[in-house]
Amino acid sequence: MAFDPMASMRTMLEGYMKEARPLEDMLFVREKVAVVTGGTSGLGFDIALRLLQGGAKVVIASGSQDKGDTAIALFEKNGYGGRVVYKKTNVAEEADVEELVRFADETFGSLDIFVNSVGIWNYAHIYDMQSSDFEKVLRVNTVGLFLCIKHISRYMIEHKIKGKITAISSNCPWYPYPVFGGYSHYAASKGAVNALIVESAKELKRFDISVNCVAPGGMATPGSTGTLAGSGLTEEQEDQIYEEIAVTAYTGTQGVDGVAMSAYILSTAVADEITGECLIADNGMSHNIFRFQPETEKYPNDEE
């Protein structure tokens, strides 16, 4: 029999074709159960919407019953009734997080996907910031994520679920904006989130649980547009921080849905080989890629 130099390659390529799951199965999350903290507003709401469109059953959680009722009413109005429920939850309280996991299991019978979209902050220079504000932001943004990963991963391990865990981080730990600062507590909390994701991914890899985060830039959400100066500031200090926030280093804000889709993709089988990663979804901001660049004439001349 003559030697066929293409036989080995052909066999390998045929193997690829046999192993390739249908693309539809890779892209959708049908029959999966997802929990989205911060899912009643802004980015979290959009992520919950995309998961519902993908076929998942979704538990949205937040600390506001009013926001929860509003979000559920909108989902039901648009045809998602029966596949989405609300659970009031303070992620900074361990008992609340444990109850959230129980609720998801009792309501939908599983917990396959978790997206943490909770995030709080306010504005103050570090030399004016109240310690209580700093501690509260880290308590919710970082400790809250730890508590969620702790109890949700424990559930996934006990039920042998090859789960997907995604946290919404930020590009602010390495891209300091607004120009003059103003939320060192938020940047510190999100830097800790990035590290926590990598370490959690290392520990959960043996259980086939993927852990990643998405780092967006500035977005126009109800939370961001309603954020005010920190507590304890004088009127003069508040005026100064608001003036500085208005001086942005980039033009405009990015769309919320693009970030939501990044979190959605990390929740699907498309991302089966991705873990411990921080997906930077800031529309080029971290690389100083903007739609418009400042005119060079606006920069001072060193010779003047």
Side-chain angles (χ1 to χ4, degrees):
M1 182 177 179
F3 171 70
D4 182 356
M6 303 301 292
S8 178
M9 184 185 78
R10 186 164 51 248
T11 299
M12 187 174 293
L13 297 183
E14 287 176 346
Y16 294 165
M17 297 185 73
K18 290 178 181 178
E19 292 175 4
R21 286 176 282 175
L23 192 56
E24 185 174 334
D25 294 345
M26 302 289 287
L27 290 170
F28 288 91
V29 287
R30 295 189 182 98
E31 306 307 319
K32 300 293 185 181
V33 175
V35 168
V36 182
T37 52
T40 58
S41 181
L43 176 59
F45 178 88
D46 202 336
I47 293 169
L49 171 62
R50 287 303 192 177
L51 288 165
L52 286 165
Q53 289 177 336
K57 298 173 184 177
V58 181
V59 177
I60 56 174
S62 76
S64 169
Q65 186 69 48
D66 288 342
K67 289 183 179 180
D69 293 341
T70 299
I72 291 296
L74 285 171
F75 283 132
E76 290 178 344
K77 179 181 177 181
N78 286 275
Y80 298 107
R83 288 201 292 119
V84 58
V85 294
Y86 170 72
K87 177 63 176 174
K88 186 175 182 180
T89 306
N90 179 356
V91 296
E93 296 294 332
E94 190 159 11
D96 274 24
V97 174
E98 291 181 276
E99 179 57 30
L100 174 62
V101 174
R102 282 194 295 269
F103 179 79
D105 179 62
E106 292 171 359
T107 304
F108 292 131
S110 187
L111 204 175
D112 310 283
I113 297 166
F114 170 59
V115 181
N116 186 80
S117 190
V118 172
I120 65 167
W121 72 95
N122 51 26
Y123 294 108
H125 291 129
I126 196 166
Y127 41 81
D128 295 322
M129 187 177 293
Q130 299 291 308
S131 297
S132 57
D133 280 358
F134 192 97
E135 291 168 359
K136 181 179 180 180
V137 167
L138 264 72
R139 179 72 190 172
V140 172
N141 295 359
T142 306
V143 177
L145 175 61
F146 153 70
L147 292 173
C148 287
I149 293 177
K150 172 183 176 180
H151 291 286
I152 289 172
S153 67
R154 181 179 291 173
Y155 177 92
M156 291 176 173
I157 292 167
E158 290 175 352
H159 293 80
K160 295 180 171 55
I161 294 171
K162 297 180 180 180
K164 306 284 188 182
I165 293 174
T166 304
I168 302 302
S169 180
S170 171
N171 67 1
C172 67
W174 63 85
Y175 190 93
Y177 65 95
V179 178
F180 301 104
Y183 50 27
S184 56
H185 47 0
Y186 184 75
S189 74
K190 293 302 185 178
V193 164
N194 295 341
L196 180 58
I197 288 300
V198 174
E199 292 303 312
S200 299
K202 290 179 182 178
E203 295 188 22
L204 297 175
K205 173 69 174 178
R206 74 196 75 174
F207 303 108
D208 290 321
I209 298 171
S210 299
V211 187
N212 297 287
C213 66
V214 176
M219 298 175 290
T221 66
S224 65
T225 55
T227 299
L228 302 175
S231 59
L233 300 186
T234 65
E235 185 176 346
E236 182 180 357
Q237 289 170 331
E238 288 188 4
D239 289 343
Q240 181 184 11
I241 200 74
Y242 287 140
E243 288 178 6
E244 293 178 359
I245 291 170
V247 181
T248 59
Y250 60 98
T251 55
T253 56
Q254 66 181 120
V256 171
D257 194 51
V259 181
M261 284 303 299
S262 297
Y264 174 82
I265 289 298
L266 288 174
S267 302
T268 70
V270 171
D272 278 354
E273 303 301 321
I274 302 173
T275 193
E277 291 295 335
C278 182
L279 175 57
I280 302 172
D282 66 1
N283 205 20
M285 184 189 300
S286 292
H287 296 289
N288 287 318
I289 300 172
F290 305 113
R291 186 178 298 276
F292 302 103
Q293 297 291 343
E295 297 177 9
T296 56
E297 289 79 5
K298 292 183 179 179
Y299 291 96
N301 190 330
D302 291 340
E303 297 180 357
E304 292 180 358

